[in-house]
Amino acid sequence: MKDSFLGKRIRGGGYAMKGAWLLVRHEPSIQVQFVIAIAVTIAGFIFDITRTEWLFQFTAIGLVMSAEGLNTAVEAMADFVHPDFHSKIGHIKDVAAGGVFFAALVAVIIAGFIYFPYIFP
């Protein structure tokens, strides 16, 4: 079973959960996003948002957390490949961070669409 298709998928899922745990445990940027995710989840319960709003909210949370995780991986790989300062490595890291910025901007816009009508009826 260890080398079967299902066994490999289960093992891969274990690696993914380990990676998610490592991110939440050791990466300050993910920790900030995680706290924000908890805060907006609590806000969702307080304002009793609709099922559709929950879907958009969790999609936004997933988008930002995924982008942040990928950015962390790109930065770690870039630092491993070239530990000293290099303008091309800096460019790569800036572009990866830009991807997180776009994801976070979309998440803030989604949060605005969800919560603005509840806060300012």
Side-chain angles (χ1 to χ4, degrees), residues 58-78:
F58 281 125
T59 299
I61 290 168
L63 176 69
V64 173
M65 298 286 277
S66 297
E68 196 71 67
L70 292 171
N71 178 52
T72 299
V74 166
E75 288 184 354
M77 189 177 297

Side-chain angles (χ1 to χ4, degrees), residues 37-58:
I38 290 170
V40 295
T41 299
I42 291 168
F45 286 114
I46 291 170
F47 291 107
D48 194 28
I49 63 177
T50 67
R51 171 176 264 161
T52 303
E53 291 167 335
W54 277 113
L55 289 172
F56 277 105
Q57 179 166 295
F58 281 125

Side-chain angles (χ1 to χ4, degrees), residues 1-16:
M1 166 107 171
K2 183 170 110 172
D3 290 328
S4 69
F5 178 81
L6 183 58
K8 289 178 182 178
R9 302 296 75 79
I10 291 170
R11 196 165 51 250
Y15 295 143

Side-chain angles (χ1 to χ4, degrees), residues 106-118:
V106 168
V108 168
I109 291 168
I110 289 170
F113 274 107
I114 292 172
Y115 291 107
F116 191 82
Y118 291 101

Side-chain angles (χ1 to χ4, degrees), residues 82-105:
H82 202 292
D84 299 326
F85 175 79
H86 191 280
S87 61
K88 288 190 186 237
I89 294 293
H91 177 76
I92 291 166
K93 291 166 93 172
D94 289 346
V95 169
V100 176
F101 172 77
F102 282 133
L105 180 63

